[in-house]
Amino acid sequence: MKFLTDDARFGFLVTPLKGRGMFRFQLIIDSQLIGDTEPSILGTAMARLGDLTHLDDDRLDLLSSDRDALLAVLLNEEELHDRTTLSIAESLDDWLIHGYVYKGNVVVVARGDEDGSLMGPTLVAVVKSAEYDQIVDAARSYWSSINSS
């Protein structure tokens, strides 16, 4: 099941797999599907995605001008790094993902990370908080209903 923004630039792909509690979980960021198809247990993901850190740091305005500079700030500033890094599902192990709330928007930044070496473009999705909350709630409800049956 896909849970997407109206413009399909951000969302989740949540598919139940054989075996109780196992799901395929991938993210859609910047209209690109990321993550692999390995089974994941989604309790941590569902909790973490619904509780992103709210930030008020002017360095985050870099998003409008330079995605790579934004990622560098998130990687190198310990306080921002620790508060925004999302380790949410086994299927996303080869991705570096940051998420946070800034000025009424949820921002998700991702880049491929193979064995500690960043690769590919920096992907960014910016979603109004209200729309993001609806997507997370819908995905969480779906996951919960499948997981409890």
Side-chain angles (χ1 to χ4, degrees):
M1 172 85 56
K2 284 185 180 177
F3 303 92
L4 298 169
T5 56
D6 291 338
D7 62 4
R9 292 185 55 80
F10 175 80
F12 311 117
L13 176 67
V14 181
T15 308
L17 301 173
K18 290 182 182 180
R20 182 155 172 74
M22 301 306 285
F23 290 81
R24 177 175 153 197
F25 180 76
Q26 294 172 290
L27 292 177
I28 298 160
I29 300 176
D30 214 0
S31 301
Q32 294 189 38
L33 184 65
I34 67 168
D36 60 39
T37 59
E38 292 298 314
S40 297
I41 299 172
L42 295 184
T44 300
M46 292 297 114
R48 183 70 174 104
L49 290 168
D51 189 31
L52 296 178
T53 300
H54 290 255
L55 297 176
D56 184 22
D57 187 314
D58 291 337
R59 293 174 292 181
L60 299 174
D61 282 329
L62 290 169
L63 174 62
S64 62
S65 61
D66 189 340
R67 295 169 172 222
D68 293 328
L70 172 64
L71 181 59
V73 168
L74 295 174
L75 287 173
N76 296 314
E77 296 296 328
E78 188 174 332
E79 181 181 337
L80 293 176
H81 181 270
D82 293 347
R83 296 175 69 197
T84 64
T85 299
L86 299 177
S87 176
I88 50 180
E90 296 88 341
S91 58
L92 297 166
D93 283 347
D94 290 335
W95 288 86
L96 175 66
I97 302 170
H98 293 272
Y100 56 90
V101 181
Y102 179 68
K103 293 185 177 178
N105 295 311
V106 170
V107 179
V108 182
V109 181
R111 188 149 180 200
D113 182 10
E114 189 173 307
D115 298 323
S117 180
L118 294 179
M119 50 191 259
T122 300
L123 305 175
V124 176
V126 179
V127 182
K128 293 285 183 197
S129 292
E131 187 175 14
Y132 176 85
D133 291 343
Q134 289 175 346
I135 292 168
V136 169
D137 289 346
R140 187 181 298 141
S141 293
Y142 175 74
W143 163 76
S144 183
S145 69
I146 299 295
N147 205 35
S148 65
S149 59

